Amino acid sequence: MKFFRSRGRDDAGQTTGSPLTQAMALYQAGRYAEAEAEARAVAEARSRRRDDMYAPLALNLAAIATNAQGRHAEACAAHDALLPVFGRIFGAEHPQTLKLRSDRAQTLTALARHAECEAECAAVARIAARGTGPEMPFLTAAARNGQIYALNAQGRHPEAEALAREALAAHGTPDRFTLVLRLGLVRSLNGQGRHEEALAEAERADELRRRQPQEQHRPETGAVELALATALLGLGRDSEARTRAATAHDACLATFGPDHRRTADARALLDRIDGA
């Protein structure tokens, strides 16, 4: 998660020395409860300033940190409340507003509202794709990732595969977005029973992850191991699959807590392996 750059601002979407610097640092360090508390404190301190951009940005960061702790419904409600505020302060097609919509869509997947997520991500991607700012390619990739996840969750794996390959070709930069798009491709291949191909793609994702700084791929904690475990299980390599799934579960439990969607996914995969 990052806030996008505007003229005269840094990568957190804030001026140098902004009140959100500490909250962002805590989030990027994986200290989600502390990041949430700090962001809420910033929002409260600035809430009396009319049309102050930091108050809604702080509340959005608090919602993202809430989602990272597995409180998905609460995060979605917070995003819902912020949508009209962002539209009024930033504008409907501003990168911050589009990012908020993309963040909200990610919470929809955790709530099994996959068709809604698909539609919202497709809409954000269309707007971002026709934009010209430096943030737009990243917004497009993030929205496409959400759309791919939603397609996979609905069992529409060939559509997800086609969109993942298209998005990977369009993005082309070996960054966090390439990692998540490749993981979406892995899920689509596993969903089609093409486990050898899925394993090869998962190994590429793992190699990419190892080359990135930890803070850049922390939101994907456990995702690569889950992808590898699913492919290995499909190939009948149950022992290796269980090791990977257990690693994913332990990492997700430590990073996100027991209520997070990915922690539950890892637990379900472990139960599936043990019950086979």
Side-chain angles (χ1 to χ4, degrees), residues 7-227:
R7 186 171 58 185
R9 301 178 192 168
D10 64 16
D11 284 341
Q14 310 148 26
T15 55
T16 302
S18 90
L20 285 175
T21 300
Q22 177 66 13
M24 280 295 301
L26 290 167
Y27 181 90
Q28 290 168 350
R31 296 162 61 180
Y32 299 124
E34 294 171 76
E36 178 192 354
E38 174 66 18
R40 292 193 190 283
V42 171
E44 175 64 25
R46 304 186 72 93
S47 62
R48 295 179 181 85
R49 306 185 187 193
R50 180 173 174 77
D51 290 342
D52 178 81
M53 72 174 183
Y54 290 115
L57 286 174
L59 288 174
N60 188 43
L61 177 53
I64 295 166
T66 298
N67 193 52
Q69 295 171 76
R71 289 155 43 211
H72 304 302
E74 183 181 343
C76 188
H79 289 314
D80 286 343
L82 286 169
L83 277 172
V85 180
F86 271 56
R88 176 171 54 82
I89 292 178
F90 298 110
E93 297 192 2
H94 189 278
Q96 294 288 7
T97 305
L98 294 178
K99 183 189 177 299
L100 169 62
R101 291 177 63 182
S102 181
D103 291 336
R104 175 182 174 273
Q106 307 306 315
T107 69
L108 294 175
T109 64
L111 297 171
R113 294 164 60 181
H114 304 304
E116 293 175 73
C117 173
E118 177 195 353
E120 180 69 343
C121 286
V124 171
R126 282 194 298 270
I127 297 170
R130 67 173 184 252
T132 57
E135 307 92 345
M136 294 306 183
F138 302 103
L139 277 166
T140 303
R144 289 299 185 209
N145 173 59
Q147 189 179 359
I148 292 160
Y149 188 96
L151 288 168
N152 276 319
Q154 295 173 82
R156 292 157 59 189
H157 303 299
E159 292 176 71
E161 179 189 358
L163 185 58
R165 293 191 186 280
E166 176 186 327
L168 280 165
H171 189 61
T173 304
D175 57 12
R176 180 202 164 200
F177 293 103
T178 298
L179 174 62
V180 296
L181 290 169
R182 195 166 295 284
L183 289 172
L185 176 59
V186 174
R187 281 188 287 270
S188 74
L189 294 170
N190 274 323
Q192 295 174 75
R194 292 157 58 187
H195 301 300
E196 287 280 5
E197 294 173 74
L199 181 60
E201 291 292 347
E203 288 170 343
R204 292 188 186 100
D206 192 23
E207 181 181 353
L208 175 59
R209 176 187 60 172
R210 294 174 188 278
R211 295 201 303 266
Q212 295 178 341
Q214 184 179 7
E215 64 271 14
Q216 291 186 17
H217 59 73
R218 185 175 280 110
E220 278 62 63
T221 295
V224 173
E225 285 77 12
L226 273 175

Side-chain angles (χ1 to χ4, degrees), residues 244-269:
R244 291 285 190 174
T247 298
H249 180 263
D250 291 348
C252 290
L253 191 62
T255 301
F256 306 124
D259 299 323
H260 194 275
R261 169 184 51 82
R262 197 174 300 139
T263 309
D265 288 347
R267 182 70 260 171
L269 183 57

Side-chain angles (χ1 to χ4, degrees), residues 237-249:
R237 295 161 61 177
D238 295 11
S239 178
E240 294 172 81
R242 195 188 191 289
T243 298
R244 291 285 190 174
T247 298
H249 180 263

